[in-house]
Amino acid sequence: MSVATEEGRTESAETVRKPPRIPWWANPRVGLVILLILLIALFTALRPAFLDTKLTLVPLQSDISVYLVVGLAQLMVLSLGHMNMAVGRMAAMSAFVMGLVHDQLGAGLVVSLLLGLIAGGLLGALAGLIISRTGVNSFVVTLAMDFALVGLITILYTSVTDGVAFPTLPAGMDALRFDTFADYCLGDVCGPRIPLVVPFAVAAALLVGLLFRFSRLGREMLMTGANIKAAELSGIPTKNRIVQAHALSGLIAGLAGFLLAANNGAFSASIGGEFLLPSFLAPVLGGTLLAGGAVSVLGTVLGATLTQVIYKGLNLLQFQLDQLQLYIGLVLLAALSLDRARHVIAERRGAKL
Amino acid sequence: MLVAENLIKTFPGVRALDGATLRVSPGSVHALLGENGAGKSTLVKVLTGVYQPDGGRITLDGDDLRLTGPMDAQAAGIGVVHQERNLIPAFSVAENISLHHLPHRRGVVDRARMRAEARRCLGLLEVELDPDAPVATLSPAQGQLVEIAKALSLENRVLLLDEPTASLTGDEADHLYAVVRRLRDSGRAVVLVSHKLEEVFAVADTLTVLRDGRSVASGEALAGFSQSRVVDLMVGRAYEQVELARREVNAEAVPALRLADVATAHGHRDVSLEVRPGEILGLYGLVGAGRSELAKAILGLGRITAGTVEVHGKPARIATVGEALRRYRLGYVTEDRKDEGLFLDQQVTRNIAVTVWRRLARLGLVPDRAERRLALDFVGKLDIRISTPRQVAGQLSGGNQQKVSLAKWLAADCDILIVDEPTVGIDVRTKAAFHELIAGLAADGLALLLISSDLPETVALADRIAVMSDLRIAGVLDNDHDYPRMSRQIIRMIHAETHAEAA
């Protein structure tokens, strides 16, 4: 009905300003896809082994899965304009609970996973509760929490295990580590060469996408991030939404911890130690703002993929670890600067981003 | 002598200054008077270089003055003490006084000279204050004096004081006026912006009265005026009678919203109000009288410490806006649509439907279709001009934004609405449309509490008018829509109240 009536109104005092369309090249997702294609072509040209399924593509998919889920954990609180600096340690605590439940109670994979996820969720909820009740900045609260958990995790692992990792894994974890769908056949038809951890990450991404796109909970989190005063004055229980977003962040961090444990073949104290930076990179490269109010799940998928492709490619080109970090840092800076440049050019051309 | 002639300043949709003229002589106290929205603040901002005028000229002792920023005004010797505090609480008195020109020796602050300067300036005011005391430890009145000392430190010849006694007690105000007289006797020109006529008559020598951005009196000696003559000048505001359909309010009906002897943590005392279904109760008052704060206390955003709130005759305990909305169908259209009313970066549909997601949701998911249909329904009803439903609220004009801010409460099916300053910053045409809209809502049976600082608007729309002054209800008047009479009654009511306070 809006389209039909607009024509007749154009003569009125207030002319309808038609917002200029955002040019396709100003969409950060498009930039990421182009960058990805270029990098894959470059790495393949330099080292044809980059397209080797067993050597590169299968482990690459496992890594992308882990870091996609890590990015999603951070995305949950970025929707509020918050940060979760304890994302890695929440993953570690969650993984510890999974290992403990299996090791001490002999529980199976599913029970261990669920209890671990709950532990992660509770830790996140605690952070959210402190933030929403005290009004202290999320950065400070989760940073403090991270410090506390670092110590706690070491203490827990030394008191329950040999100090490094649980000695056993629930049945089925090895399959997650080594198998792809190609190992499972119905008669002559076998699955693609996709590791078994991938569906976990895909499901997580779909659920988070669904949450923000269609659910009241996710939308109200975004509104809280967009303008907390207006959200409060629109009847949104903003404090609850803050707690819930942080709880989900902890829970998803727990899933990332589980996937990494599956990839590494152990529930160990070191899980999550490398999560913090990538957790921001994936969403931010994908166009999610630190300010809150807008998220992109697809962008997070692309961001996580890009980071891992760069990492894998440079690794294959036999860069040393320190060089690797230097170049990844430079590539990411370049990517972010390009993104900013695109925004500025698009804005000059009159598009409101 | 500072002369501002025929100043014009236009904002989108509003001509805030429309030929304002001000003449201030050295060694005199000049009162700048006018109703809410008459252009006083804009004039002060033009004189201090915050705004650049679109027309007219400013001269100081005959020389043209071009003020492109606050620094220019400072250089010309024009100082201002704003109504809101501009001191840094953690800094000491001396540091605040010398903030813009800290004495230093090779980059290191010379604290001895800074203290001496503070003592000199405070001495001019004959005020005893410890230069090393942090400003945070001072009373509001002492803070005010520090601000004046700060303005004196800059060797200002003209000093603008904007509502200097708003937060002072009677004794403190008396002291301040003694200071003002001393400044006058030292040859400075003091411009006093005040709502309190008693004070103005006690201290000022000459006056300017603004009305709709124009000077209706400029530079005349105050001695020739009586207080009621000044009130007449202030309220004789250009007033276009809006022809709104008359409504009949059932005076017997159970009030939709009733406050009885309500006190709040903000400081409201003995507030009693009733709004019936189909009625518009105007809540008029000066800026800062505590009207929005009262609304927020009703919604659970402030604490109610005494008295009762009743909705449709039943006691209501409202802890959150969500509860007000769901249990009592009570909505609040905020005065600050950009900060509190809208999600500027979000789509118009979401801005409208945000209050009803709970109702629309099935299994926690909000169906896009239903949301869109509902939002577009209100876009049509309120005639909100959008190019596509996906357009973000920040791209709309002020009037359309305000409609979106209202639409979300109508979408939520509220039957009691508190509408706070609905037409601030909206052009005249949209304003008229808005007035019709509000009257239409009342005709549909909604109970409306209309908070407004716009007297013509209040008189045009309200069935009864409650006047709030200093966190109390000064009185409730039946509105006979006779503007000159109503406005005089209301203005007198406010001034009688402040007068009683001062005594």
Side-chain angles (χ1 to χ4, degrees), chain B residues 215-230:
Chain B
S215 305
V216 289
S218 61
E220 278 94 335
L222 193 63
F225 288 84
S226 66
Q227 281 198 32
S228 64
R229 169 92 183 103
V230 172

Side-chain angles (χ1 to χ4, degrees), chain A residues 310-340:
Chain A
I310 294 172
Y311 196 84
K312 204 60 146 197
L314 294 182
N315 202 350
L316 214 61
L317 294 172
Q318 289 169 333
F319 280 82
Q320 301 296 316
L321 183 67
D322 37 6
Q323 283 177 312
L324 208 68
Q325 283 171 336
L326 172 66
Y327 285 107
I328 287 184
L330 289 179
V331 170
L332 293 175
L333 267 179
L336 288 173
S337 313
L338 269 177
D339 190 48
R340 182 68 205 142

Side-chain angles (χ1 to χ4, degrees), chain B residues 199-452:
Chain B
E199 307 178 344
V200 166
F201 274 85
V203 72
D205 306 308
T206 52
L207 91 168
T208 291
V209 179
L210 286 184
R211 190 164 80 203
D212 291 328
R214 261 181 227 109
S215 305
V216 289
S218 61
E220 278 94 335
L222 193 63
F225 288 84
S226 66
Q227 281 198 32
S228 64
R229 169 92 183 103
V230 172
V231 169
D232 286 350
L233 281 172
M234 280 162 66
V235 299
R237 219 180 131 180
Y239 175 60
E240 300 128 50
Q241 176 71 44
V242 195
E243 272 314 313
L244 294 168
R246 286 278 154 260
R247 287 167 291 107
E248 282 301 316
V249 179
N250 179 4
E252 304 297 304
V254 177
L257 176 68
R258 177 165 175 265
L259 308 187
D261 304 320
V262 164
T264 70
H266 185 79
H268 298 88
R269 291 289 172 268
D270 309 320
V271 175
S272 298
L273 292 175
E274 289 181 357
V275 197
R276 294 188 180 76
E279 183 182 42
I280 302 175
L281 176 68
L283 184 55
Y284 181 82
L286 301 176
V287 176
R291 294 163 299 157
S292 304
E293 290 77 7
L294 179 68
K296 288 186 175 167
I298 296 173
L299 289 162
L301 295 170
R303 213 155 45 80
I304 291 182
T305 52
T308 50
V309 177
E310 285 177 17
V311 174
H312 294 302
K314 296 193 191 77
R317 277 196 194 79
I318 300 172
T320 66
V321 180
E323 207 176 47
L325 176 63
R326 284 188 295 281
R327 283 182 54 187
Y328 302 104
R329 298 210 288 158
L330 166 66
Y332 171 64
V333 184
T334 173
E335 62 176 324
D336 187 353
R337 61 174 172 266
K338 284 200 157 64
D339 273 353
E340 298 184 344
L342 292 175
F343 305 91
L344 293 173
D345 295 332
Q346 305 279 334
Q347 296 169 13
V348 169
T349 44
R350 290 198 170 188
N351 268 284
I352 295 175
V354 60
T355 49
V356 282
W357 283 343
R358 180 184 288 262
R359 200 178 73 209
L360 294 178
R362 297 280 170 270
L363 299 171
L365 301 183
V366 181
D368 255 0
R369 269 254 202 91
E371 178 186 55
R372 214 180 137 100
R373 196 175 329 121
L374 180 120
L376 288 181
D377 187 25
F378 283 95
V379 165
K381 274 184 190 158
L382 303 190
D383 194 20
I384 301 172
R385 311 285 163 82
I386 57 176
S387 55
T388 91
R390 298 176 70 87
Q391 194 170 11
V392 300
Q395 290 176 334
L396 303 181
S397 70
N400 282 313
Q401 286 183 353
Q402 186 67 14
K403 285 181 183 174
V404 171
S405 178
L406 174 67
K408 70 176 172 190
W409 298 108
L410 301 181
D413 212 10
C414 286
D415 58 17
I416 308 168
L417 267 187
I418 303 175
V419 187
D420 198 350
E421 304 283 6
T423 58
V424 163
I426 288 179
D427 67 89
V428 181
R429 251 174 99 160
T430 317
K431 198 165 165 176
F434 230 93
H435 288 166
E436 266 172 53
L437 181 62
I438 289 171
L441 292 176
D444 290 344
L446 267 77
L448 287 129
L449 180 61
L450 172 72
I451 300 177
S452 178

